Amino acid sequence: MKERRMNNLGLKILAFLVAVMLWLTVVNIDDPITDQTYNNIPVSVINAEVLSKSHKTYQIVDDTQTVNVTVRAKRSTLSRIRMEDIVAVADMKELALESQIPIKVIVKGYEYKDAYSNTKNLQIKMEDEETKKFPIVPKTTGTVRDGYVLGTVEADPEKVSIRGPKSVINKISGVEATVNVSGLYKDALLRSELVLYDQDNNEIDQKLLSNNLGTMGVEIYVQILKTKSVPIEFDTSYIKAERGYEFTNIIYEPQEVRVSGEKKVLKQVSKLQIPAEALRMEGLTESTEKIVDITPYLPKDLQLAEENAGSVVVSILVERDGTKTYEVTVGSITVENLVEDLAMNYKTVDALEVQVRGPKHLLESLDMSGAVSIDLKKLDKPGRYTVPVDVKLPSECMLEKQVKVEIELKEYD
């Protein structure tokens, strides 16, 4: 009897099946099939090139570019699934009614019962495709090393062709490429991605756009220039004061300016000479202020290190001339054109007082020797006369008042 029980194959099979069922029951109780929702899964559009044959493109509408995905699988599987493992795809070949594309969900690398999105279809709007060229505006952030400034900043290429929905293309008002120049001290070629802006300076999403630069972006050439501070010098030879006044000096601020350029050019510059034409002024009777733009007078291949530092405030100082009195003896007066038959005598022996107005430095050095004379050309008869005294003076000087002398002409006895 014992032997019959040991050799009963049917009982063995039955026991095995019961054990398997019991194991499955325990496993299902411990790791049941359930579902979990993953939010904001992006929808990828494939085979979009089928539209290019008809020169059409599309825009996603109704905020269906992201969807919530529900995955049904064992609890242990769900605990390992990440958002990156979930792919939501809309195949343009399955486009229906020119506005809807079914969304299919795949969970990569895992076994699951089902996966589906809360939105069944990607909603799109068909429209004409357009291509336009836009200039690329290079921008910089950061600050170059001390003692250097930015020179030329250029994009290579200077323009980009952008293709996409006509409505999006028409929104583009600017294309920029920004690079960071922090710490640069020599020329550099930096790579940058393009950023598109609308007329309100809002960034435009480029998901539906393509350009002829591909994924490599654009190269930005950045020129770095050395700087140097040089003194400013003005030629004042065209500044003229009115008679009776004297131009004395100029005061200006700043007295030096920082310029930038290539090192070999900077070495040749020791000062910035501003020509007389910049301060051409005549008939001045009072001190005057003038703002001079020195930018046009920069040497070739140099520029201002600071763009708005080209204005120099110049104060032109003018003073009223001083006066000085000179005593001239009548004996030192030169007599011109005395008629041969007449003799002349002065009716006074006192020295003449000659008051001269002019610049102080000229008054101090003015010599009256040989500078004072009288002309008797029109006096050809005996008599007493009061004649003007002629005083030869520098052009900057003048007589404060006319000087006269009394003479007597007599015939020879």
Side-chain angles (χ1 to χ4, degrees):
M1 180 109 180
K2 181 178 179 182
E3 185 177 343
R4 288 178 58 190
R5 286 198 301 269
M6 295 297 293
N7 294 326
N8 192 330
L9 181 60
L11 287 175
K12 292 180 179 180
I13 293 174
L14 179 61
F16 175 76
L17 293 175
V18 170
V20 170
M21 292 179 64
L22 181 60
W23 180 82
L24 289 174
T25 301
V26 171
V27 168
N28 285 331
I29 292 174
D30 188 53
D31 192 11
I33 293 176
T34 183
D35 54 47
Q36 182 170 321
T37 300
Y38 301 83
N39 297 327
N40 298 320
I41 302 298
V43 179
S44 300
V45 178
I46 61 174
N47 296 317
E49 63 274 10
V50 299
L51 297 179
S52 60
K53 296 178 181 179
S54 58
H55 302 288
K56 294 284 186 179
T57 186
Y58 68 95
Q59 284 196 70
I60 300 173
V61 297
D62 298 338
D63 294 325
T64 56
Q65 62 268 28
T66 60
V67 293
N68 298 334
V69 171
T70 299
V71 180
R72 186 167 179 77
K74 290 183 179 181
R75 179 184 296 167
S76 59
T77 300
L78 293 176
S79 65
R80 298 194 305 273
I81 294 176
R82 299 170 302 170
M83 292 182 62
E84 294 79 8
D85 301 322
I86 302 172
V87 178
V89 175
D91 191 341
M92 189 64 73
K93 292 181 178 180
E94 298 182 13
L95 174 65
L97 303 175
E98 293 192 351
S99 63
Q100 298 181 359
I101 309 174
I103 298 174
K104 295 182 179 180
V105 177
I106 300 172
V107 183
K108 297 182 296 182
Y110 294 95
E111 292 185 3
Y112 56 95
K113 290 291 184 180
D114 194 11
Y116 54 90
S117 62
N118 64 322
T119 302
K120 300 302 180 184
N121 297 296
L122 180 70
Q123 302 294 325
I124 67 169
K125 180 178 71 173
M126 301 282 290
E127 60 177 295
D128 293 336
E129 186 178 64
E130 186 166 343
T131 301
K132 278 187 178 181
K133 281 190 174 182
F134 297 90
I136 300 173
V137 180
K139 299 280 188 176
T140 62
T141 60
T143 305
V144 299
R145 185 175 294 188
D146 288 347
Y148 297 83
V149 294
L150 279 176
T152 302
V153 181
E154 298 176 338
D156 183 20
E158 296 179 348
K159 293 184 178 182
V160 59
S161 293
I162 301 177
R163 185 176 72 252
K166 185 175 181 179
S167 61
V168 179
I169 295 295
N170 289 340
K171 289 180 181 179
I172 301 175
S173 65
V175 178
E176 295 183 3
T178 302
V179 291
N180 190 329
V181 298
S182 295
L184 288 184
Y185 62 94
K186 60 182 179 180
D187 297 353
L189 195 61
L190 307 175
R191 191 167 294 279
S192 173
E193 294 182 355
L194 299 179
V195 180
L196 314 182
Y197 293 96
D198 62 19
Q199 62 181 1
D200 296 322
N201 207 36
N202 298 316
E203 187 173 343
I204 295 175
D205 191 343
Q206 301 185 52
K207 289 181 181 177
L208 301 178
L209 303 175
S210 61
N211 63 66
N212 63 332
L213 301 183
T215 59
M216 297 299 292
V218 62
E219 288 186 330
I220 305 298
Y221 168 70
V222 180
Q223 182 187 38
I224 304 298
L225 300 175
K226 182 73 175 169
T227 65
K228 179 181 181 179
S229 291
V230 294
I232 303 171
E233 290 188 5
F234 284 91
D235 183 341
T236 61
S237 59
Y238 284 178
I239 300 177
K240 305 295 181 184
E242 187 66 76
R243 280 199 75 165
Y245 295 84
E246 178 186 8
F247 159 63
T248 59
N249 198 7
I250 62 169
I251 301 174
Y252 52 93
E253 186 66 33
Q255 295 184 2
E256 63 179 21
V257 65
R258 199 158 61 104
V259 295
S260 62
E262 296 183 0
K263 293 181 180 179
K264 61 181 181 180
V265 179
L266 287 177
K267 286 181 179 179
Q268 301 172 1
V269 179
S270 59
K271 62 182 177 180
L272 180 58
Q273 183 69 50
I274 309 302
E277 187 64 37
L279 290 177
R280 180 184 287 274
M281 305 181 79
E282 298 179 354
L284 296 178
T285 59
E286 61 183 2
S287 296
T288 305
E289 188 174 273
K290 183 175 183 179
I291 298 177
V292 178
D293 180 11
I294 63 173
T295 307
Y297 310 115
L298 291 173
K300 185 180 179 182
D301 298 326
L302 285 186
Q303 62 190 37
L304 294 173
E306 298 174 11
E307 185 176 353
N308 298 319
S311 296
V312 177
V313 180
V314 182
S315 296
I316 298 99
L317 305 182
V318 175
E319 296 180 358
R320 188 173 177 83
D321 286 343
T323 59
K324 186 174 182 179
T325 301
Y326 302 86
E327 289 190 354
V328 179
T329 61
V330 293
S332 64
I333 299 175
T334 300
V335 179
E336 298 176 351
N337 299 312
L338 175 62
V339 176
E340 292 183 0
D341 297 334
L342 297 177
M344 186 204 80
N345 292 312
Y346 290 104
K347 297 306 291 180
T348 179
V349 294
D350 295 332
L352 300 178
E353 288 189 351
V354 179
Q355 290 186 332
V356 180
R357 176 175 292 280
K360 295 177 182 178
H361 67 283
L362 290 179
L363 297 179
E364 295 298 328
S365 60
L366 189 60
D367 185 4
M368 288 293 175
S369 300
V372 181
S373 63
I374 56 175
D375 189 354
L376 306 181
K377 182 178 182 180
K378 296 182 179 180
L379 304 180
D380 56 1
K381 295 179 180 180
R384 297 182 64 171
Y385 301 95
T386 300
V387 296
V389 177
D390 181 46
V391 182
K392 293 181 180 179
L393 297 172
S395 60
E396 296 92 339
C397 298
M398 59 185 298
L399 289 176
E400 186 72 4
K401 61 182 180 179
Q402 182 65 57
V403 180
K404 296 181 180 181
V405 64
E406 190 175 355
I407 63 171
E408 183 178 15
L409 297 179
K410 292 181 178 180
E411 292 181 350
Y412 284 107
D413 295 335

